[in-house]
């Protein structure tokens, strides 16, 4: 097993030398700690501030103090943060938040041996307003100290989002359609930002930019908004709940199903772009770009697919082309001899075209299982080839985990804040406890059944489950929506334990000498690096400056998404619905701050 980059220990009651502090006033404890913390902040007494943390405590920041996504571990590093940024940031006006339901201080028993007190406070900086989330733990002397603190910027004081009372109050008597045409065409000006991709990532990022006052154009090569979902395999459906998958500024109606079919989502995104008046050029392709380092601008040539060529000068390019890059298709000898069809999952549409045929799906994660189940449902003779073990977790278990914060009662914005509030080192430790428990209880029957038929499973990287695989690799798991039962019952056959050697005329030959026959082979083998599309658009010289996009850095933060990625004026906006919904605004605020002269990365040294 690889060396563990996050070997930290949780602050259990045994480790702290305390008993479960059940008879305390959460509000009084939170108020006392915050008053002491606020006084130290006001006096810029960084030594007094860090004394309020455990020795191995954390301070996680989302663009509030650092204009970046950072996690500082231990008193020494927290003091470095404060010495460098406390005065410069102007952290001020700290006040306990407890007036709204579900944000009041609360004592939480996470596990029988792990108890903390969570509370929220608001704050201001020189440039904005934010929310903080604190997790206090008890000490033997009846004192409470911070185990983790999140500071997250929510808005820019001088550049608020044009929402609610700040929305457009003008009446319109017939000019709206022409005004929208000119806005979308950028007839009189160039946009400040081009967002590449009109899926949920591109649309939500563009919405955040638009309503913070940054002219933004979305460009997509497909004919319609939402086609990135509409053109996938017909059986595709979100595996996460509606509460986790909400879109910012415009929520799904209360009649919406808990799990959204891809075609329905595609139509929603098309309507979303229209209702939010986002400026989109579909059926358009960027054919050339060049970066001027002196003016910090991009020259972008766009082929509008029958509407001519436009050359735009913009400040920022945002790649919202998904967490992966080009389709990964294994290079297997003998493909020319195969008489059937072989496609990547991105090209596959429906098993309805292959009723009664023999099929092989290469791969064993979400798409592979969905497609294999589609073949099974259409009466095909289907075999799934498993190249390596797969994390399998039931849809019910995922819903229960997400449902702690993403549910009918918790406001989405608050749920997103709580979801982001803990540093990765802590989240992973919590999941290292939770994942085996789920595997031995809720999902035991499924996992035992899979083991009996030879399907190999795992519990994720360092046993931290689905979230570790998603954040670090972007895949490697299956959220079971029914295919596991088909595998257990023998309706989806499994082949593993031997590598593919070559195509044959009628299928695939394996290193163990066996052969599987097939009329169609679907390679559900994932996608490449998110930099693939950026390299095609911007060239090798620009791409060489971007070392990593997806995955986690040494602090457990996103390596290159929603934040500076190594090249000025170049950004990546990828992620699932919850992450993108929350952090798209943080990306937008960074761009706005740069454009208004508030943010200069060179000035921020920690």
């Amino acid at each position: 097993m690889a060396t563990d980059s996050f070997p930290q220990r949780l602050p259990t009651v045994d480790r702290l030398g305390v008993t479960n502090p059940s008879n305390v006033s959460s509000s009084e404890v939170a108020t006392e700690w915050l008053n002491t913390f606020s006084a130290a902040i006001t006096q810029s007494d960084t030594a007094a501030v860090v004394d309020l943390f455990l020795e191995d405590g954390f301070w996680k920041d989302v663009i509030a103090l650092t204009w970046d996504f950072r996690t500082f571990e231990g008193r020494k590093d927290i003091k470095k943060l404060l010495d460098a940024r406390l005065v410069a940031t102007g952290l001020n006006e700290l006040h306990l938040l407890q007036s709204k339901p579900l944000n009041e201080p609360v004592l939480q028993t996470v596990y029988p041996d792990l108890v903390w007190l969570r509370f929220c406070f608001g704050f201001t900086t020189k440039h904005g307003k934010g929310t903080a989330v604190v997790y206090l733990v008890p000490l033997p002397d009846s004192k409470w100290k911070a185990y983790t603190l999140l500071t997250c910027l929510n808005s820019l004081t001088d550049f608020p989002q044009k929402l609610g009372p700040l929305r457009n109050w003008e009446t319109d008597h017939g000019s709206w359609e022409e005004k929208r045409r000119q806005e979308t065409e950028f007839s009189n000006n160039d946009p400040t930002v081009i967002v590449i991709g009109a899926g949920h990532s591109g649309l939500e990022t563009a919405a955040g930019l638009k309503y913070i006052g940054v002219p933004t154009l979305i460009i997509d090569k497909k004919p319609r908004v939402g086609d990135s979902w509409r053109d996938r395999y017909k059986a595709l459906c979100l595996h996460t709940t509606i509460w986790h998958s909400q879109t910012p500024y415009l929520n799904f109606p209360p009649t919406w199903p808990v799990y959204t079919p891809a075609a329905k989502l595609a139509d929603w995104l098309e309507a979303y772009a229209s209702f939010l008046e986002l400026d989109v050029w579909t059926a358009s392709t960027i054919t050339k770009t060049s970066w001027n380092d002196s003016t910090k601008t991009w020259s972008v040539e766009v082929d509008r697919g029958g509407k001519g060529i436009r050359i735009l000068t913009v400040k920022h390019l945002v790649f919202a082309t998904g967490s992966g890059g080009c389709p990964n298709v294994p290079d297997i000898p003998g493909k020319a001899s195969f008489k059937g069809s072989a496609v990547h999952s991105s090209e596959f549409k429906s098993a309805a075209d292959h009723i009664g045929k023999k099929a092989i799906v290469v791969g064993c994660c979400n798409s592979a299982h969905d497609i294999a189940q589609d073949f099974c449902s259409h009466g095909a003779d289907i075999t799934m080839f498993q190249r390596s073990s797969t994390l399998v977790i039931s849809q019910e278990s995922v819903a229960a985990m997400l449902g702690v914060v993403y549910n009918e009662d918790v406001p989405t914005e608050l749920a997103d804040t709580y979801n982001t509030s803990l540093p990765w080192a802590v989240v992973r430790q919590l999941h290292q406890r939770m994942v085996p428990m789920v595997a031995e209880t809720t999902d035991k029957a499924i996992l035992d059944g899979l083991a009996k038929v030879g399907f190999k499973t795992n519990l994720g990287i360092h046993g931290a489950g689905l979230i570790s695989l998603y954040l670090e690799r972007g895949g490697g798991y299956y959220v079971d929506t029914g295919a596991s039962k088909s595998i257990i019952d023998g309706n989806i056959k499994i082949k593993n334990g031997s590598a593919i050697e070559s195509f044959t005329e009628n299928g695939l030959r394996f290193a163990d000498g066996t052969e599987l026959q097939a009329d169609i082979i679907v390679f559900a083998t994932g996608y490449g690096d998110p930099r693939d599309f950026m390299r095609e658009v911007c060239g090798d010289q620009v791409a060489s400056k971007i070392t990593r996009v997806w995955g986690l850095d040494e602090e457990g933060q996103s390596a290159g998404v929603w934040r500076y990625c190594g090249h000025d004026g170049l950004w990546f906006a990828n992620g699932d619905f919850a992450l993108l919904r929350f952090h798209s605004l943080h990306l937008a605020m960074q761009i706005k701050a740069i454009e208004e002269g508030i943010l200069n990365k060179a000035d921020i040294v920690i």
Side-chain angles (χ1 to χ4, degrees):
M1 181 178 288
T3 302
D4 191 345
S5 302
F6 299 95
Q8 297 86 348
R9 296 185 300 155
L10 291 169
T12 60
V13 292
D14 290 340
R15 182 183 157 209
L16 296 174
V18 298
T19 56
N20 193 323
S22 56
N23 296 318
V24 298
S25 168
S26 298
S27 181
E28 289 180 6
V29 170
T31 300
E32 180 180 352
W33 186 92
L34 183 59
N35 286 343
T36 307
F37 179 79
S38 181
I41 291 290
T42 301
Q43 297 164 17
S44 298
D45 188 346
T46 58
V49 173
V50 299
D51 189 53
L52 294 169
F53 284 77
L54 288 183
E55 286 284 354
D56 58 348
F58 297 86
W59 188 314
K60 181 178 180 181
D61 186 63
V62 178
I63 76 168
L65 276 72
T66 62
W67 285 112
D68 199 356
F69 292 67
R70 297 292 306 273
T71 298
F72 300 88
E73 180 183 356
R75 290 179 176 177
K76 182 179 178 181
D77 282 353
I78 292 172
K79 192 172 188 304
K80 285 183 180 179
L81 162 68
L82 295 173
D83 287 341
R85 297 297 300 163
L86 181 57
V87 174
T89 303
L91 187 62
N92 196 12
E93 297 182 21
L94 281 59
H95 56 282
L96 187 66
L97 298 176
Q98 56 180 344
S99 59
K100 295 180 181 180
L102 304 172
N103 75 348
E104 65 275 1
V106 59
L107 188 68
Q108 297 180 314
T109 301
V110 186
Y111 292 108
D113 65 340
L114 180 63
V115 180
W116 54 40
L117 193 155
R118 184 190 69 193
F119 71 93
C120 304
F121 67 85
F123 62 86
T124 63
T125 68
K126 289 180 179 178
H127 300 297
K129 297 180 180 180
T131 299
V133 183
V134 188
Y135 293 82
L136 303 179
V137 293
L139 297 180
D141 57 3
S142 298
K143 297 290 186 182
W144 293 74
K145 293 203 173 185
Y147 177 47
T148 79
L149 165 65
L150 166 76
T151 44
C152 180
L153 196 67
N154 299 333
S155 63
L156 299 176
T157 304
D158 293 336
F159 309 100
Q161 296 183 81
K162 304 300 182 183
L163 310 177
L166 298 179
R167 72 182 79 205
N168 182 6
W169 282 69
E170 296 177 4
T171 56
D172 185 291
H173 298 287
S175 63
W176 176 78
E177 288 181 306
E178 176 59 19
K179 180 182 177 184
R180 281 297 301 133
R181 188 193 68 79
Q182 291 188 23
E183 287 175 347
T184 300
E185 289 296 313
F186 284 90
S187 302
N188 302 315
N189 63 298
D190 286 354
T192 302
V193 179
I194 287 178
V195 174
I196 302 166
H200 76 277
S201 299
L203 298 177
E204 293 178 15
T205 300
L209 287 161
K210 177 184 179 75
Y211 290 105
I212 206 172
V214 181
T216 301
L217 170 64
I218 307 167
I219 293 177
D220 198 291
K221 63 184 178 181
K222 291 182 177 290
R224 293 171 61 188
V225 171
D227 276 350
S228 58
W229 288 93
R230 194 177 285 112
D231 292 347
R232 296 290 304 281
Y233 55 90
K234 193 173 181 180
L236 179 60
C237 183
L238 294 187
H239 291 185
T240 52
T241 64
I242 179 177
W243 304 286
H244 184 266
S245 307
Q246 287 285 9
T247 47
Y249 307 108
L250 187 65
N251 282 348
F252 297 123
T255 56
W256 202 264
V258 173
Y259 298 100
T260 308
K264 186 177 181 68
L265 177 62
D267 288 349
W268 173 264
L269 294 177
E270 193 168 40
Y272 182 88
S274 176
F275 291 149
L276 269 65
E277 299 186 359
L278 305 180
D279 301 319
V280 188
W281 291 357
T282 53
S284 298
T285 306
I286 295 177
T287 52
K288 186 187 300 182
T289 66
S290 62
W291 170 252
N292 187 323
D293 200 46
S294 298
T295 60
K296 301 295 182 183
T297 58
W298 295 94
S299 176
V300 182
E301 182 180 282
V302 184
D303 182 346
R304 298 202 59 194
K307 294 183 179 181
I309 303 292
R310 280 284 297 274
I311 298 177
L312 304 170
T313 300
V314 304
K315 294 288 192 69
H316 305 270
L317 295 180
V318 179
F319 283 84
T321 50
S323 298
C326 299
N328 270 335
V329 180
D331 185 13
I332 300 171
K335 184 177 180 181
S337 66
F338 179 51
K339 294 180 178 179
S341 62
V343 298
H344 188 265
S345 59
S346 59
E347 304 170 276
F348 180 78
K349 295 297 181 267
S350 173
D353 302 326
H354 306 280
I355 294 174
K357 302 291 186 179
K358 291 184 177 180
I360 299 172
V361 173
V362 178
C364 270
C365 298
N366 274 338
S367 294
H369 278 81
D370 286 350
I371 293 169
Q373 183 61 42
D374 190 25
F375 277 119
C376 181
S377 299
H378 283 89
D381 181 344
I382 172 65
T383 300
M384 182 184 288
F385 173 60
Q386 184 181 33
R387 298 181 296 169
S388 58
S389 65
T390 309
L391 180 136
V392 176
I393 184 170
S394 67
Q395 190 174 47
E396 294 75 17
S397 293
V398 171
M401 291 179 185
L402 295 177
V404 174
V405 291
Y406 291 109
N407 54 56
E408 201 76 63
D409 300 319
V410 180
T412 303
E413 185 175 348
L414 181 60
D416 285 341
T417 302
Y418 285 152
N419 188 48
T420 306
S421 62
L422 290 170
W424 169 240
V426 178
V427 171
R428 207 186 68 168
Q429 290 174 86
L430 296 175
H431 280 259
Q432 284 173 325
R433 287 189 172 202
M434 182 192 312
V435 169
M437 290 170 54
V438 171
E440 288 298 319
T441 54
T442 310
D443 291 349
K444 181 174 174 56
I446 293 172
L447 296 176
D448 285 352
L450 290 173
K452 287 180 181 178
V453 297
F455 187 93
K456 299 176 181 179
T457 62
N458 64 61
L459 296 182
I461 301 171
H462 294 291
L466 183 154
I467 191 170
S468 66
L469 287 163
Y470 177 68
L471 293 177
E472 298 193 38
R473 287 177 42 192
Y477 53 84
Y478 172 52
V479 178
D480 181 27
T481 58
S484 290
K485 184 177 188 304
S486 296
I487 293 170
I488 293 168
D489 291 345
N491 297 319
I492 297 175
K493 297 186 285 292
I494 296 297
K495 168 69 177 177
N496 56 25
S498 181
I500 297 173
E501 188 173 80
S502 67
F503 281 96
T504 66
E505 284 190 2
N506 300 310
L508 292 174
R509 179 181 293 114
F510 295 85
D512 62 5
T514 61
E515 182 177 339
L516 285 177
Q517 294 190 348
D519 300 295
I520 178 172
I521 302 170
V522 180
F523 289 92
T525 43
Y527 296 83
D529 193 287
R531 293 171 293 183
D532 291 347
F533 295 124
M534 182 271 295
R535 187 181 297 274
E536 291 178 5
V537 171
C538 298
D540 291 338
Q541 185 176 351
V542 171
S544 66
K545 296 184 178 182
I546 318 303
T547 56
R548 193 179 182 196
V549 176
W550 195 255
L552 300 175
D553 65 14
E554 64 278 2
E555 295 178 358
Q557 296 278 17
S558 166
V561 184
W562 319 302
R563 63 191 292 200
Y564 179 73
C565 65
H567 191 289
D568 291 340
L570 184 61
W571 309 82
F572 291 87
N574 308 330
D576 65 20
F577 280 84
L579 288 174
L580 203 288
R581 176 182 59 241
F582 193 50
H583 292 314
S584 58
L585 178 59
H586 301 132
L587 191 162
M589 285 194 286
Q590 290 173 79
I591 290 176
K592 182 65 172 178
I594 291 170
E595 291 306 301
E596 297 297 339
I598 296 170
L599 170 56
N600 182 355
K601 296 294 292 186
D603 294 339
I604 301 173
V605 179
I606 302 173

